[in-house]
Amino acid sequence: MFRFITRRTLGAVVTLLIIAACTFFLFFAVPADPARLACGKVCPPELLAQARHNLGLDQPLFAQFLAWVGGIFFGRDYEGLGHCSAPCLGYSFVNRAPVLDTILDRMPLTVSLTIGAAAVFLTFGVATGIIAALKQGKALDKIASTASLIGASVQIYFVGTLALYFLVYQNHILQQPKYVPFTENPIAWATGLALPWVVLAIIFTANYTRMTRSTMVEQLTEDYVRTARAKGMSGRSVVMRFALRGTLIPIITIFGVDLGTLIGGAIITEQTFGLQGVGQLSVKAVTYSDLPMLMATVLVAAGAIVVFNIIVDVMYAVIDPRVRLS
């Protein structure tokens, strides 16, 4: 197990470095000049040169990339801006602050959005899929299948806009979405993010319903399930102890990927509901050609996917005894 985790961790580090390098060098294909954006619209040539020097943009591209990677492990000094302690993901000229500090300030909202949406789609998606499988061919199965097809076809910005109009502005059923830290007021935290949770979870719920149903139907026809029934076990015990355990394997696989993917979905959700999270940071970074912020947000999203995939691989051995990690 230890060797497996070590091997996957080293592979994850290499993957993240490749992603960071691709993001870094593709950024310079954009014609915008970060130094001019940092200096302002009216910027004398001497101040523009000083801005390039302070941001390290007067060095070769490869040297800039190595300096950025080195800052993660050892910190980095910016002339005229001060020292950025490790792990340093760069200095944002737009926010006039270290990138990591800005991300950590916005991260609680995005994490809250992700965890809440994941809890919603995992609970309702798996439960609905199990019920549809057990009621195969009946009315509940057809309703669940139709609803999941519709849910998978809609888009976050479309559903979010409609939900805001009818539930918040038109009928005042829900309050305007806002973020309140969980430690300050758990109830306000939940009520303020309830609508974004549901909207973000709609598409994922549909996918989990369909996958759970199809996998459960397949598991119910397996020999070990039929044997359990032949031995006189109750239908509930057969489903919970045998069929459900096999059904969870593909569910956990996509769940690990979806937790990272939710950060991408959070970009649209945060924009739709006006929430100031990491998603809006990435949009702002692209708009203002803020390379350090752009690289950091991409690295956070990629890192989340990589880490959750490692966790999923380790969880296989816990859920399915047929799986063994060497």
Side-chain angles (χ1 to χ4, degrees):
M1 179 71 74
F2 177 76
R3 292 177 58 188
F4 169 78
I5 296 176
T6 302
R7 193 165 57 244
R8 289 301 308 272
T9 301
L10 292 176
V13 171
V14 174
T15 301
L16 293 177
L17 286 175
I18 293 174
I19 292 173
C22 292
T23 305
F24 184 87
F25 292 108
L26 285 175
F27 174 85
F28 283 94
V30 180
D33 185 357
R36 183 168 295 279
L37 293 173
C39 190
K41 294 182 178 179
V42 181
C43 184
E46 59 274 11
L47 291 182
L48 181 61
Q50 184 63 38
R52 285 200 176 96
H53 180 69
N54 291 343
L55 295 172
L57 298 175
D58 56 347
Q59 301 177 12
L61 291 184
F62 190 70
Q64 293 182 43
F65 178 72
L66 290 180
W68 183 82
V69 174
I72 297 177
F73 299 99
F74 309 109
R76 186 177 178 186
D77 291 317
Y78 289 91
E79 293 190 28
L81 300 174
H83 179 72
C84 179
S85 302
C88 178
L89 297 179
Y91 189 93
S92 171
F93 59 81
V94 175
N95 299 302
R96 304 292 180 180
V99 168
L100 185 59
D101 292 346
T102 307
I103 290 180
L104 291 178
D105 183 60
R106 301 285 190 94
M107 185 60 72
L109 190 154
T110 300
V111 171
S112 297
L113 193 61
T114 300
I115 292 176
V120 171
F121 72 66
L122 192 61
T123 300
F124 286 94
V126 173
T128 305
I130 292 175
I131 294 174
L134 296 178
K135 301 295 182 180
Q136 185 179 4
K138 298 183 180 179
L140 284 177
D141 180 27
K142 295 179 181 179
I143 294 174
S145 299
T146 302
S148 64
L149 181 61
I150 295 174
S153 304
V154 299
Q155 297 298 322
I156 294 175
Y157 60 84
F158 175 73
V159 178
T161 304
L162 289 180
L164 273 176
Y165 178 75
F166 288 107
L167 299 179
V168 178
Y169 304 136
Q170 181 81 5
N171 300 307
H172 306 286
I173 298 175
L174 297 175
Q175 62 177 341
Q176 175 70 32
K178 63 179 180 179
Y179 174 69
V180 177
F182 180 83
T183 54
E184 292 183 8
N185 191 330
I187 296 178
W189 171 79
T191 55
L193 295 177
L195 185 58
W197 284 347
V198 174
V199 171
L200 183 56
I202 285 178
I203 297 177
F204 292 94
T205 300
N207 294 333
Y208 278 76
T209 298
R210 291 187 298 172
M211 176 165 286
T212 302
R213 179 194 177 279
S214 61
T215 308
M216 178 63 78
V217 169
E218 181 181 347
Q219 288 294 318
L220 290 174
T221 61
E222 293 288 341
D223 292 338
Y224 68 89
V225 174
R226 290 200 297 263
T227 301
R229 284 175 172 170
K231 289 183 177 180
M233 293 185 65
S234 64
R236 181 176 181 180
S237 297
V238 170
V239 171
M240 300 303 296
R241 293 182 58 184
F242 297 99
L244 181 59
R245 196 169 188 176
T247 302
L248 288 178
I249 296 298
I251 297 301
I252 288 180
T253 301
I254 63 172
F255 182 64
V257 177
D258 286 343
L259 279 178
T261 307
L262 274 174
I263 296 179
I267 295 176
I268 303 175
T269 307
E270 290 172 9
Q271 287 290 102
T272 301
F273 295 101
L275 299 173
Q276 302 294 322
V278 177
Q280 280 210 348
L281 276 181
S282 61
V283 174
K284 191 175 181 180
V286 173
T287 303
Y288 292 97
S289 299
D290 190 353
L291 174 60
M293 186 64 70
L294 178 62
M295 291 186 63
T297 52
V298 170
L299 204 62
V300 167
I305 295 175
V306 170
V307 169
F308 287 130
N309 271 281
I310 294 176
I311 295 174
V312 164
D313 289 341
V314 175
M315 287 293 294
Y316 279 165
V318 177
I319 295 176
D320 192 346
R322 297 172 297 179
V323 177
R324 290 294 181 266
L325 300 177
S326 59

